[in-house]
Amino acid sequence: MRRAVAAALSVMVAGLFAASPAWAQRKAEPGNFDYYILSLSWSPTYCARDRNGPDPDQCGERKHGFVVHGLWPQYTDGSYPATCTRDRNVPKAVVDQTMTVMPSVGLMMHQWRKHGTCSGLTATDYFAKLRAAAAKVAIPDPLKAPGPTVPAVQVERLFLEANPGLTAEGVAVVCSRRDVSEVRVCLNKDLGFMNCGQKVVDRCRDRDAALSAEVAPAQPRTFNAAPAVPALPPAPAAAPTPLR
């Protein structure tokens, strides 16, 4: 029995590795990538759903709307480079300049370590690029601050209308359950609009998904009691959206 179980588990593990998602992060040479994703985070959803608790900078008294979550070097096959060097230093002057578009010191440090070090730029130049990308993408007037609820299907349309040259293939709306959490815009290395590569797609499955000023915190999941005799795990399902 043990040999049979071990053999079955070995097959399952091999299947998991064979089915590794194409968007998986990987080591790479700094500057060796295809294009950027500008990730714009909707603060009400982020502040309500962040698993580490609300960020005191982004989620304080001032009510932010869309802010920059990151500027990510990306490959067209859907994968992306990550943590390309050990550089951890972001000058204070750069932090101060960037707070207007990315109001979280902790987020800046994380984004520089994981994504900025793969850009081939210094921290100063990377965050200057990030601010330029934020200036390139216009936030639609109805979405500049938390206000009336807007259906997720209209969020993309409003971004297309506010940004001439941006196409439906160059933007993706991401949801956390029924709430819009993020808009991703694909940019070439010169920050021009372009079509996104693989795996950068809309991720709002609920027809009633919407962008709202008031977002309920995620409810803790409940689990059934474990069976007396453990069963073999089922075949691997489609991988979820990676956390970045």
Side-chain angles (χ1 to χ4, degrees):
M1 174 64 79
R2 288 185 179 179
R3 289 184 179 179
V5 172
L9 288 174
S10 296
V11 172
M12 292 299 300
V13 171
L16 286 171
F17 279 106
S20 294
W23 41 254
Q25 56 186 294
R26 65 180 193 240
K27 286 281 188 179
E29 288 295 321
N32 181 21
F33 63 96
D34 297 322
Y35 69 103
Y36 286 112
I37 291 177
L38 177 68
S39 169
L40 299 171
S41 172
W42 179 246
S43 293
T45 304
Y46 168 78
C47 294
R49 301 279 170 81
D50 184 21
R51 62 185 178 182
N52 297 316
D55 183 291
D57 292 328
Q58 185 175 345
C59 307
E61 293 183 4
R62 180 179 175 183
K63 302 302 180 183
H64 293 281
F66 277 109
V67 301
V68 176
H69 181 76
L71 182 65
W72 304 334
Q74 188 84 2
Y75 298 120
T76 54
D77 67 1
S79 62
Y80 61 93
T83 318
C84 294
T85 75
R86 295 184 177 181
D87 187 355
R88 300 291 183 266
N89 182 51
V90 178
K92 184 179 183 303
V94 172
V95 172
D96 293 342
Q97 291 171 334
T98 309
M99 283 292 285
T100 56
V101 297
M102 180 184 275
S104 170
V105 176
L107 180 59
M108 283 185 221
M109 299 304 174
H110 170 74
Q111 292 296 317
W112 166 245
R113 288 193 302 267
K114 188 169 183 179
H115 299 289
T117 57
C118 297
S119 66
L121 304 173
T122 65
T124 298
D125 290 341
Y126 169 73
F127 282 102
K129 193 93 171 181
L130 181 149
R131 295 191 301 272
K136 167 74 177 183
V137 178
I139 304 298
D141 287 338
L143 310 181
K144 285 186 175 178
T149 297
V150 179
V153 293
Q154 292 186 21
V155 171
E156 180 174 308
R157 178 180 61 78
L158 288 169
F159 267 89
L160 296 177
E161 291 175 353
N163 292 276
L166 180 64
T167 67
E169 291 73 28
V171 61
V173 179
V174 178
C175 286
S176 170
R177 301 187 182 182
R178 298 178 64 178
D179 297 288
V180 173
S181 60
E182 188 182 345
V183 171
R184 298 177 179 180
V185 179
C186 297
L187 304 168
N188 61 33
K189 291 185 177 182
D190 294 323
L191 304 184
F193 294 128
M194 62 172 283
N195 291 350
C196 299
Q198 298 180 39
K199 305 298 180 181
V200 185
V201 295
D202 292 339
R203 295 184 181 272
C204 294
R205 297 180 181 179
D206 195 308
R207 293 173 126 192
D208 297 324
L211 181 144
S212 306
E214 301 294 332
V215 178
Q219 296 298 317
R221 295 182 180 179
T222 57
F223 299 91
N224 296 327
V229 179
L232 290 176
T241 307
L243 295 176
R244 295 178 69 170

